[in-house]
Amino acid sequence: MLKILRRGAARPEAVTPDSGWRPPADALWLDLIHPTREEELAVEAALSLGLPTREEMAEIEPSSRLYQAHGATFMTASLLARRGDDGQGRADAPVTFVLAAGLLVTIRYDELKAFDLFAERAQSLEAASASSCLLGLLDAVVERLADLLERSGAEVESVSQAIFARPKGAQFEALLTDLARAQSLTSLTRNSLVSLSRLFSFAALAPEISADHECAAHLHALQRDGQSLTEHANAQSGQIAFLLDAALGLINIEQNGIIKFFSVAAVILMPPTLVASVYGMNFKHMPELDFPFGYPMALSLMAISAILPVLWFKRRGWF
């Protein structure tokens, strides 16, 4: 599918390019979403450019993601897209941005919330050029990543309070699952920010941006935002690692407490068991067999042998 944003338009409009198709003269942004091979060929012929394929976009070499060819600037970054049946999962989604012939061309194979947000406020932004359109779109991407970091940060804070409050009967399994989910989201967000930081540095070389002081200043602000968010993601990853160690330590303490309880119980029951075992033997000649108070004596011995370890453990503070 191909969507076109025209100068002054409220929203991008969908078109179906065919052979001989040409973009409108007032077009600013061509957004290729899940493009078919026919759509790719039509856009390539219209712009006299070779667009990267999906396989080429997935490559991680900087030379394959950031380059200039035939007067156009090609930039590929890894953004975050929703995945999974419930739409709650996240995964890397390579997106290519191309500045060429006064147009911004984007190629993507996932639905991205940042693109939808930018499309909704395109008219209010009043983008005057393809480069300003690119920077506005990148603004929306950075804003979306910041929102994701805030969301995972709130979840981490909630888990932190639950771990250290340690309410009775708390289940650490659910907390560890929440931590793992937050760490995955934070890590993916950091990877996306690192990818974008490379894109920002390379975008400064694009003639459309370097020749426009306003766009250059806007790009510099984006670089600062990306750097601060990357540092925030690093700090959040460190906090998650600390909470994971703390949760595992508390789990070990609880397990040690359980083992200690059974160990103390076993020691307390050992002497009474010994007394009961002695007087449970079936030998014919046993001195206490004819003793009238043998049964109360055996019970008293078992009680005393159980009470003495309890008193000793209490004195040591183990019980």
Side-chain angles (χ1 to χ4, degrees):
M1 180 172 61
L2 173 62
K3 289 185 177 182
I4 299 179
L5 176 65
R6 298 189 179 194
R7 187 175 286 103
R11 292 181 61 87
E13 59 182 15
V15 300
T16 303
D18 51 15
S19 59
W21 173 84
R22 290 293 181 270
D26 58 350
L28 287 175
W29 176 27
L30 306 182
D31 187 21
L32 284 163
I33 312 169
H34 298 285
T36 63
R37 185 54 184 162
E38 291 74 15
E39 291 172 337
E40 290 179 350
L41 291 174
V43 174
E44 287 179 350
L47 302 180
S48 300
L49 288 175
L51 300 179
T53 63
R54 187 171 189 174
E55 291 73 20
E56 291 171 341
M57 290 168 57
E59 295 180 2
I60 62 175
E61 298 89 347
S63 59
S64 299
R65 291 196 152 206
L66 306 168
Y67 60 93
Q68 291 180 329
H70 306 291
T73 303
F74 294 80
M75 299 165 287
T76 300
S78 296
L79 306 184
L80 294 187
R82 291 181 180 273
R83 297 287 170 81
D85 296 336
D86 56 356
Q88 298 301 314
R90 296 289 191 281
D92 286 332
V95 179
T96 296
F97 303 85
V98 184
L99 280 175
L103 283 173
L104 168 65
V105 182
T106 57
I107 310 168
R108 55 193 175 103
Y109 292 88
D110 292 275
E111 298 293 335
L112 301 174
K113 184 67 174 179
F115 280 62
D116 297 334
L117 292 174
F118 176 74
E120 289 175 0
R121 58 192 185 192
Q123 188 177 28
S124 62
L125 293 174
E126 296 182 355
S129 63
S131 56
S132 61
C133 188
L134 168 65
L135 296 175
L137 182 56
L138 292 176
D139 251 336
V141 170
V142 172
E143 180 183 335
R144 179 62 178 164
L145 292 176
D147 291 341
L148 291 176
L149 275 180
E150 289 177 3
R151 184 183 306 173
S152 63
E155 187 172 4
V156 170
E157 183 62 27
S158 175
V159 172
S160 175
Q161 294 177 1
I163 288 176
F164 293 111
R166 297 186 64 193
K168 186 176 181 181
Q171 296 296 321
F172 282 100
E173 292 83 355
L175 297 178
L176 291 177
T177 301
D178 292 340
L179 275 180
R181 183 168 53 249
Q183 173 59 25
S184 176
L185 180 57
T186 302
S187 178
L188 288 171
T189 304
R190 181 187 177 279
N191 291 340
S192 182
L193 288 168
V194 170
S195 176
L196 283 172
S197 68
R198 298 194 187 103
L199 185 149
F200 295 153
S201 299
F202 192 79
L205 303 177
E208 296 88 343
I209 294 178
S210 60
D212 189 327
H213 295 293
E214 185 176 346
C215 287
H218 191 172
L219 180 61
H220 187 59
L222 281 172
Q223 288 176 313
R224 290 198 306 270
D225 291 343
Q227 182 178 0
S228 64
L229 288 176
T230 302
E231 293 172 355
H232 180 78
N234 290 335
Q236 191 162 288
S237 293
Q239 184 183 9
I240 292 174
F242 165 73
L243 291 176
L244 179 60
D245 291 340
L248 293 177
L250 292 174
I251 290 173
N252 288 333
I253 290 174
E254 287 191 354
Q255 291 178 341
N256 290 338
I258 294 172
I259 294 174
K260 181 179 178 181
F261 172 79
F262 283 108
S263 299
V264 170
V267 172
I268 292 174
L269 293 175
M270 281 175 60
T273 302
L274 176 62
V275 174
S277 299
V278 169
Y279 289 104
M281 294 186 292
N282 294 320
F283 292 110
K284 182 176 181 181
H285 300 288
M286 292 185 68
E288 292 83 1
L289 284 177
D290 297 325
F291 185 47
F293 300 101
Y295 180 68
M297 180 193 71
L299 292 179
S300 299
L301 283 175
M302 286 189 284
I304 292 171
S305 63
I307 292 172
L308 288 177
V310 171
L311 295 177
W312 186 76
F313 282 129
K314 281 190 173 182
R315 185 175 180 181
R316 296 294 298 271
W318 292 4
F319 190 71

